[in-house]
mmCIF file of all heavy atoms in Angstrom:
data_model
loop_
_atom_site.group_PDB
_atom_site.id
_atom_site.type_symbol
_atom_site.label_atom_id
_atom_site.label_comp_id
_atom_site.label_asym_id
_atom_site.label_seq_id
_atom_site.Cartn_x
_atom_site.Cartn_y
_atom_site.Cartn_z
ATOM 1 N N ASP A 1 0.822 -1.208 -0.015
ATOM 2 C CA ASP A 1 0.004 -0.007 -0.013
ATOM 3 C C ASP A 1 0.849 1.252 -0.010
ATOM 4 O O ASP A 1 0.494 2.259 -0.586
ATOM 5 C CB ASP A 1 -0.911 0.022 1.242
ATOM 6 C CG ASP A 1 -2.035 -0.990 1.143
ATOM 7 O OD1 ASP A 1 -2.340 -1.451 0.019
ATOM 8 O OD2 ASP A 1 -2.615 -1.332 2.197
ATOM 9 N N GLU A 2 2.000 1.204 0.665
ATOM 10 C CA GLU A 2 2.883 2.370 0.753
ATOM 11 C C GLU A 2 3.961 2.386 -0.352
ATOM 12 O O GLU A 2 4.484 3.438 -0.666
ATOM 13 C CB GLU A 2 3.590 2.360 2.123
ATOM 14 C CG GLU A 2 2.630 2.526 3.288
ATOM 15 C CD GLU A 2 3.306 2.365 4.626
ATOM 16 O OE1 GLU A 2 4.526 2.038 4.680
ATOM 17 O OE2 GLU A 2 2.617 2.558 5.648
ATOM 18 N N GLN A 3 4.267 1.225 -0.905
ATOM 19 C CA GLN A 3 5.336 1.105 -1.904
ATOM 20 C C GLN A 3 4.762 0.526 -3.209
ATOM 21 O O GLN A 3 5.170 -0.523 -3.708
ATOM 22 C CB GLN A 3 6.471 0.230 -1.374
ATOM 23 C CG GLN A 3 7.068 0.745 -0.083
ATOM 24 C CD GLN A 3 7.662 2.130 -0.239
ATOM 25 O OE1 GLN A 3 8.292 2.460 -1.235
ATOM 26 N NE2 GLN A 3 7.450 2.942 0.775
ATOM 27 N N VAL A 4 3.823 1.256 -3.794
ATOM 28 C CA VAL A 4 3.121 0.792 -4.983
ATOM 29 C C VAL A 4 4.098 0.580 -6.144
ATOM 30 O O VAL A 4 3.989 -0.407 -6.878
ATOM 31 C CB VAL A 4 2.013 1.799 -5.358
ATOM 32 C CG1 VAL A 4 1.332 1.412 -6.677
ATOM 33 C CG2 VAL A 4 0.996 1.903 -4.246
ATOM 34 N N ALA A 5 5.083 1.469 -6.294
ATOM 35 C CA ALA A 5 6.014 1.332 -7.414
ATOM 36 C C ALA A 5 6.812 0.038 -7.329
ATOM 37 O O ALA A 5 7.041 -0.614 -8.351
ATOM 38 C CB ALA A 5 6.954 2.529 -7.439
ATOM 39 N N LEU A 6 7.235 -0.355 -6.107
ATOM 40 C CA LEU A 6 7.988 -1.605 -5.963
ATOM 41 C C LEU A 6 7.082 -2.809 -6.267
ATOM 42 O O LEU A 6 7.506 -3.750 -6.937
ATOM 43 C CB LEU A 6 8.574 -1.740 -4.557
ATOM 44 C CG LEU A 6 9.796 -0.896 -4.250
ATOM 45 C CD1 LEU A 6 10.204 -1.105 -2.790
ATOM 46 C CD2 LEU A 6 10.952 -1.265 -5.157
ATOM 47 N N ALA A 7 5.843 -2.754 -5.809
ATOM 48 C CA ALA A 7 4.919 -3.840 -6.094
ATOM 49 C C ALA A 7 4.681 -3.982 -7.589
ATOM 50 O O ALA A 7 4.657 -5.088 -8.132
ATOM 51 C CB ALA A 7 3.581 -3.602 -5.348
ATOM 52 N N GLN A 8 4.574 -2.857 -8.268
ATOM 53 C CA GLN A 8 4.390 -2.874 -9.725
ATOM 54 C C GLN A 8 5.650 -3.368 -10.413
ATOM 55 O O GLN A 8 5.566 -4.147 -11.385
ATOM 56 C CB GLN A 8 3.985 -1.485 -10.219
ATOM 57 C CG GLN A 8 2.605 -1.081 -9.835
ATOM 58 C CD GLN A 8 2.285 0.358 -10.218
ATOM 59 O OE1 GLN A 8 3.160 1.158 -10.462
ATOM 60 N NE2 GLN A 8 1.002 0.646 -10.272
ATOM 61 N N GLN A 9 6.790 -2.909 -9.975
ATOM 62 C CA GLN A 9 8.060 -3.324 -10.563
ATOM 63 C C GLN A 9 8.238 -4.835 -10.566
ATOM 64 O O GLN A 9 8.726 -5.426 -11.527
ATOM 65 C CB GLN A 9 9.242 -2.659 -9.817
ATOM 66 C CG GLN A 9 10.589 -3.071 -10.325
ATOM 67 C CD GLN A 9 11.711 -2.424 -9.505
ATOM 68 O OE1 GLN A 9 11.521 -1.426 -8.814
ATOM 69 N NE2 GLN A 9 12.900 -2.994 -9.613
ATOM 70 N N PHE A 10 7.785 -5.485 -9.477
ATOM 71 C CA PHE A 10 7.919 -6.913 -9.366
ATOM 72 C C PHE A 10 6.641 -7.664 -9.722
ATOM 73 O O PHE A 10 6.529 -8.858 -9.509
ATOM 74 C CB PHE A 10 8.382 -7.296 -7.945
ATOM 75 C CG PHE A 10 9.822 -6.955 -7.721
ATOM 76 C CD1 PHE A 10 10.183 -5.784 -7.135
ATOM 77 C CD2 PHE A 10 10.830 -7.806 -8.158
ATOM 78 C CE1 PHE A 10 11.513 -5.444 -6.934
ATOM 79 C CE2 PHE A 10 12.179 -7.515 -7.974
ATOM 80 C CZ PHE A 10 12.501 -6.318 -7.368
ATOM 81 N N ARG A 11 5.666 -6.949 -10.284
ATOM 82 C CA ARG A 11 4.410 -7.525 -10.763
ATOM 83 C C ARG A 11 3.724 -8.333 -9.653
ATOM 84 O O ARG A 11 3.257 -9.471 -9.916
ATOM 85 C CB ARG A 11 4.640 -8.359 -12.010
ATOM 86 C CG ARG A 11 5.124 -7.544 -13.179
ATOM 87 C CD ARG A 11 5.332 -8.435 -14.416
ATOM 88 N NE ARG A 11 5.731 -7.654 -15.546
ATOM 89 C CZ ARG A 11 6.991 -7.368 -15.881
ATOM 90 N NH1 ARG A 11 7.966 -7.813 -15.138
ATOM 91 N NH2 ARG A 11 7.263 -6.670 -16.949
ATOM 92 N N VAL A 12 3.664 -7.793 -8.484
ATOM 93 C CA VAL A 12 2.999 -8.472 -7.364
ATOM 94 C C VAL A 12 1.510 -8.285 -7.524
ATOM 95 O O VAL A 12 0.994 -7.179 -7.478
ATOM 96 C CB VAL A 12 3.496 -7.887 -6.012
ATOM 97 C CG1 VAL A 12 2.664 -8.486 -4.860
ATOM 98 C CG2 VAL A 12 4.963 -8.159 -5.833
ATOM 99 N N MET A 13 0.804 -9.386 -7.752
ATOM 100 C CA MET A 13 -0.636 -9.388 -7.938
ATOM 101 C C MET A 13 -1.372 -9.979 -6.760
ATOM 102 O O MET A 13 -2.543 -9.731 -6.557
ATOM 103 C CB MET A 13 -1.013 -10.185 -9.196
ATOM 104 C CG MET A 13 -0.394 -9.680 -10.452
ATOM 105 S SD MET A 13 -1.033 -8.055 -10.822
ATOM 106 C CE MET A 13 -0.536 -7.853 -12.487
ATOM 107 N N THR A 14 -0.702 -10.793 -5.982
ATOM 108 C CA THR A 14 -1.277 -11.485 -4.832
ATOM 109 C C THR A 14 -0.373 -11.261 -3.637
ATOM 110 O O THR A 14 0.850 -11.275 -3.795
ATOM 111 C CB THR A 14 -1.356 -12.989 -5.127
ATOM 112 O OG1 THR A 14 -2.120 -13.210 -6.314
ATOM 113 C CG2 THR A 14 -2.027 -13.741 -3.967
ATOM 114 N N ILE A 15 -0.974 -11.028 -2.480
ATOM 115 C CA ILE A 15 -0.141 -10.935 -1.269
ATOM 116 C C ILE A 15 -0.667 -11.941 -0.261
ATOM 117 O O ILE A 15 -1.860 -12.279 -0.274
ATOM 118 C CB ILE A 15 -0.133 -9.501 -0.688
ATOM 119 C CG1 ILE A 15 -1.537 -8.978 -0.463
ATOM 120 C CG2 ILE A 15 0.684 -8.599 -1.572
ATOM 121 C CD1 ILE A 15 -1.593 -7.632 0.219
ATOM 122 N N PRO A 16 0.197 -12.474 0.594
ATOM 123 C CA PRO A 16 1.637 -12.191 0.590
ATOM 124 C C PRO A 16 2.340 -12.842 -0.602
ATOM 125 O O PRO A 16 1.976 -13.936 -1.028
ATOM 126 C CB PRO A 16 2.096 -12.832 1.892
ATOM 127 C CG PRO A 16 1.131 -13.935 2.152
ATOM 128 C CD PRO A 16 -0.182 -13.436 1.614
ATOM 129 N N THR A 17 3.329 -12.154 -1.094
ATOM 130 C CA THR A 17 4.245 -12.718 -2.102
ATOM 131 C C THR A 17 5.634 -12.657 -1.472
ATOM 132 O O THR A 17 6.052 -11.626 -0.965
ATOM 133 C CB THR A 17 4.222 -11.915 -3.406
ATOM 134 O OG1 THR A 17 2.962 -12.127 -4.066
ATOM 135 C CG2 THR A 17 5.352 -12.336 -4.342
ATOM 136 N N LEU A 18 6.302 -13.797 -1.531
ATOM 137 C CA LEU A 18 7.666 -13.888 -1.030
ATOM 138 C C LEU A 18 8.606 -14.063 -2.203
ATOM 139 O O LEU A 18 8.315 -14.842 -3.123
ATOM 140 C CB LEU A 18 7.810 -15.074 -0.070
ATOM 141 C CG LEU A 18 6.907 -15.081 1.131
ATOM 142 C CD1 LEU A 18 7.067 -16.389 1.892
ATOM 143 C CD2 LEU A 18 7.196 -13.893 2.023
ATOM 144 N N MET A 19 9.695 -13.332 -2.180
ATOM 145 C CA MET A 19 10.731 -13.447 -3.246
ATOM 146 C C MET A 19 12.096 -13.579 -2.612
ATOM 147 O O MET A 19 12.376 -12.981 -1.581
ATOM 148 C CB MET A 19 10.740 -12.213 -4.137
ATOM 149 C CG MET A 19 9.538 -12.035 -4.979
ATOM 150 S SD MET A 19 9.721 -10.638 -6.083
ATOM 151 C CE MET A 19 8.062 -10.568 -6.720
ATOM 152 N N VAL A 20 12.914 -14.383 -3.272
ATOM 153 C CA VAL A 20 14.317 -14.477 -2.891
ATOM 154 C C VAL A 20 15.109 -13.859 -4.019
ATOM 155 O O VAL A 20 14.997 -14.249 -5.158
ATOM 156 C CB VAL A 20 14.759 -15.934 -2.639
ATOM 157 C CG1 VAL A 20 16.251 -15.988 -2.329
ATOM 158 C CG2 VAL A 20 13.942 -16.550 -1.498
ATOM 159 N N ILE A 21 15.915 -12.854 -3.663
ATOM 160 C CA ILE A 21 16.708 -12.140 -4.673
ATOM 161 C C ILE A 21 18.182 -12.347 -4.354
ATOM 162 O O ILE A 21 18.611 -12.105 -3.214
ATOM 163 C CB ILE A 21 16.353 -10.643 -4.680
ATOM 164 C CG1 ILE A 21 14.861 -10.488 -5.034
ATOM 165 C CG2 ILE A 21 17.252 -9.890 -5.637
ATOM 166 C CD1 ILE A 21 14.354 -9.081 -4.966
ATOM 167 N N LYS A 22 18.925 -12.847 -5.346
ATOM 168 C CA LYS A 22 20.364 -13.014 -5.210
ATOM 169 C C LYS A 22 21.029 -12.280 -6.342
ATOM 170 O O LYS A 22 20.627 -12.396 -7.489
ATOM 171 C CB LYS A 22 20.726 -14.514 -5.303
ATOM 172 C CG LYS A 22 20.231 -15.353 -4.153
ATOM 173 C CD LYS A 22 20.652 -16.814 -4.311
ATOM 174 C CE LYS A 22 20.093 -17.662 -3.193
ATOM 175 N NZ LYS A 22 20.395 -19.078 -3.375
ATOM 176 N N ASN A 23 22.042 -11.518 -6.013
ATOM 177 C CA ASN A 23 22.813 -10.744 -7.003
ATOM 178 C C ASN A 23 21.879 -9.906 -7.884
ATOM 179 O O ASN A 23 22.072 -9.815 -9.111
ATOM 180 C CB ASN A 23 23.668 -11.681 -7.848
ATOM 181 C CG ASN A 23 24.666 -12.449 -7.006
ATOM 182 O OD1 ASN A 23 25.274 -11.893 -6.091
ATOM 183 N ND2 ASN A 23 24.807 -13.718 -7.291
ATOM 184 N N GLY A 24 20.833 -9.341 -7.301
ATOM 185 C CA GLY A 24 19.915 -8.473 -8.022
ATOM 186 C C GLY A 24 18.895 -9.190 -8.877
ATOM 187 O O GLY A 24 18.150 -8.534 -9.596
ATOM 188 N N GLN A 25 18.859 -10.521 -8.846
ATOM 189 C CA GLN A 25 17.915 -11.283 -9.651
ATOM 190 C C GLN A 25 16.955 -12.096 -8.784
ATOM 191 O O GLN A 25 17.375 -12.707 -7.785
ATOM 192 C CB GLN A 25 18.668 -12.276 -10.569
ATOM 193 C CG GLN A 25 19.628 -11.614 -11.523
ATOM 194 C CD GLN A 25 18.925 -10.767 -12.552
ATOM 195 O OE1 GLN A 25 17.917 -11.152 -13.110
ATOM 196 N NE2 GLN A 25 19.474 -9.568 -12.816
ATOM 197 N N VAL A 26 15.675 -12.136 -9.147
ATOM 198 C CA VAL A 26 14.704 -12.945 -8.460
ATOM 199 C C VAL A 26 14.993 -14.404 -8.812
ATOM 200 O O VAL A 26 14.976 -14.775 -9.978
ATOM 201 C CB VAL A 26 13.249 -12.595 -8.831
ATOM 202 C CG1 VAL A 26 12.252 -13.541 -8.155
ATOM 203 C CG2 VAL A 26 12.937 -11.136 -8.491
ATOM 204 N N VAL A 27 15.296 -15.240 -7.798
ATOM 205 C CA VAL A 27 15.611 -16.621 -8.053
ATOM 206 C C VAL A 27 14.481 -17.554 -7.583
ATOM 207 O O VAL A 27 14.404 -18.688 -8.040
ATOM 208 C CB VAL A 27 16.951 -17.038 -7.388
ATOM 209 C CG1 VAL A 27 18.103 -16.321 -8.065
ATOM 210 C CG2 VAL A 27 16.959 -16.810 -5.895
ATOM 211 N N HIS A 28 13.635 -17.068 -6.665
ATOM 212 C CA HIS A 28 12.465 -17.860 -6.213
ATOM 213 C C HIS A 28 11.351 -16.884 -5.889
ATOM 214 O O HIS A 28 11.608 -15.771 -5.417
ATOM 215 C CB HIS A 28 12.783 -18.683 -4.980
ATOM 216 C CG HIS A 28 13.767 -19.777 -5.193
ATOM 217 N ND1 HIS A 28 13.498 -20.907 -5.899
ATOM 218 C CD2 HIS A 28 15.044 -19.897 -4.785
ATOM 219 C CE1 HIS A 28 14.559 -21.678 -5.953
ATOM 220 N NE2 HIS A 28 15.545 -21.074 -5.289
ATOM 221 N N GLN A 29 10.129 -17.334 -6.165
ATOM 222 C CA GLN A 29 8.943 -16.512 -5.856
ATOM 223 C C GLN A 29 7.810 -17.436 -5.439
ATOM 224 O O GLN A 29 7.646 -18.521 -6.003
ATOM 225 C CB GLN A 29 8.548 -15.692 -7.090
ATOM 226 C CG GLN A 29 7.406 -14.751 -6.857
ATOM 227 C CD GLN A 29 7.194 -13.809 -8.019
ATOM 228 O OE1 GLN A 29 8.105 -13.561 -8.824
ATOM 229 N NE2 GLN A 29 5.999 -13.279 -8.114
ATOM 230 N N SER A 30 7.057 -16.994 -4.449
ATOM 231 C CA SER A 30 5.936 -17.783 -3.942
ATOM 232 C C SER A 30 4.830 -16.840 -3.510
ATOM 233 O O SER A 30 5.077 -15.847 -2.843
ATOM 234 C CB SER A 30 6.403 -18.615 -2.741
ATOM 235 O OG SER A 30 5.317 -19.259 -2.133
ATOM 236 N N ALA A 31 3.608 -17.142 -3.919
ATOM 237 C CA ALA A 31 2.447 -16.339 -3.524
ATOM 238 C C ALA A 31 1.576 -17.115 -2.550
ATOM 239 O O ALA A 31 1.428 -18.312 -2.651
ATOM 240 C CB ALA A 31 1.627 -15.930 -4.758
ATOM 241 N N GLY A 32 1.023 -16.388 -1.601
ATOM 242 C CA GLY A 32 0.145 -17.002 -0.615
ATOM 243 C C GLY A 32 0.873 -17.369 0.670
ATOM 244 O O GLY A 32 2.109 -17.392 0.713
ATOM 245 N N ALA A 33 0.089 -17.609 1.706
ATOM 246 C CA ALA A 33 0.665 -17.940 3.017
ATOM 247 C C ALA A 33 1.322 -19.319 2.930
ATOM 248 O O ALA A 33 0.810 -20.245 2.304
ATOM 249 C CB ALA A 33 -0.424 -17.956 4.079
ATOM 250 N N ARG A 34 2.466 -19.451 3.548
ATOM 251 C CA ARG A 34 3.249 -20.686 3.562
ATOM 252 C C ARG A 34 3.744 -20.951 4.981
ATOM 253 O O ARG A 34 4.080 -20.006 5.701
ATOM 254 C CB ARG A 34 4.487 -20.582 2.663
ATOM 255 C CG ARG A 34 4.199 -20.343 1.212
ATOM 256 C CD ARG A 34 3.902 -21.638 0.478
ATOM 257 N NE ARG A 34 3.736 -21.416 -0.931
ATOM 258 C CZ ARG A 34 2.558 -21.318 -1.526
ATOM 259 N NH1 ARG A 34 1.457 -21.333 -0.833
ATOM 260 N NH2 ARG A 34 2.490 -21.174 -2.827
#
């Protein structure tokens, strides 16, 4: 809600969305509670 640009940059459509970023690249992504 506060960081709309970041959510758009990473195309976050569902929350919670978890991402693992290594060396500036998304290497894993998961949507929904886990």
Side-chain angles (χ1 to χ4, degrees):
D1 288 341
E2 296 173 356
Q3 302 300 320
V4 176
L6 284 177
Q8 290 174 340
Q9 177 181 341
F10 287 95
R11 296 180 177 91
V12 173
M13 301 294 194
T14 303
I15 53 174
T17 290
L18 302 175
M19 291 185 189
V20 176
I21 299 176
K22 293 181 183 175
N23 301 318
Q25 300 293 317
V26 176
V27 294
H28 294 289
Q29 183 171 338
S30 173
R34 299 276 185 262

